[in-house]
Amino acid sequence: GEDVEQSLFLSVREGDSSVINCTYTDSSSTYLYWYKQEPGAGLQLLTYIFSNMDMKQDQRLTVLLNKKDKHLSLRIADTQTGDSAIYFCAERGTNAGKSTFGDGTTLTVKP
Amino acid sequence: DAGVTQSPTHLIKTRGQQVTLRCSPKSGHDTVSWYQQALGQGPQFIFQYYEEEERQRGNFPDRFSGHQFPNYSSELNVNALLLGDSALYLCASSPLGGEDEKLFFGSGTQLSVL
């Protein structure tokens, strides 16, 4: 079945760039997503990329997709303390409602 | 425009009891999906409802059932609760029968089974 893997923790200094990595196994994935979850909250969709794209930029966020290696990354430029949260990578096939999630990367931003 | 709303926000039950969680999708959305998020893990897909029918189901036992109403709102029912059912239950909605690429989540119901 589908599987999504992420590293568990990342710590950066305020103002640095953060890069969160993810690998997935489903070669039929159509969209790949990055979600943010703050304590006690649901999931906030940050950005997503269609599987036929290599890169997508949205303000401070840059998503890179290497479809051959099934590797997805999220770069956050000028990371702020408010970016501290858990970041989830997810993939889906033809149905938006059924997505497979990784176990999340906890990003800690130190002042 | 209200987003996805879930109730209650917190719930405490004992083993063997039954629970019902509720979800109202974002305005204009017709598809509701339910996820279970155990502590320290990512959300896992339980099932999806569209046109008042269960359309897809993840790897969850029959103790987990649901319903979708004509106004697109949905309920998740769990019977014979186990300690391992303790988790954050997330509802997500999407438009166009789930074909749209975006999925919007509610804040979840935290279920504790004692």
Side-chain angles (χ1 to χ4, degrees), chain B residues 29-41:
Chain B
H29 288 192
D30 56 10
T31 305
V32 173
S33 302
W34 286 93
Y35 285 80
Q36 180 196 65
Q37 186 180 14
L39 191 63
Q41 296 182 17

Side-chain angles (χ1 to χ4, degrees), chain B residues 92-109:
Chain B
S93 72
S94 52
L96 304 177
E99 290 186 8
D100 187 85
E101 65 271 17
K102 292 184 287 294
L103 193 63
F104 293 85
F105 282 84
S107 297
T109 294

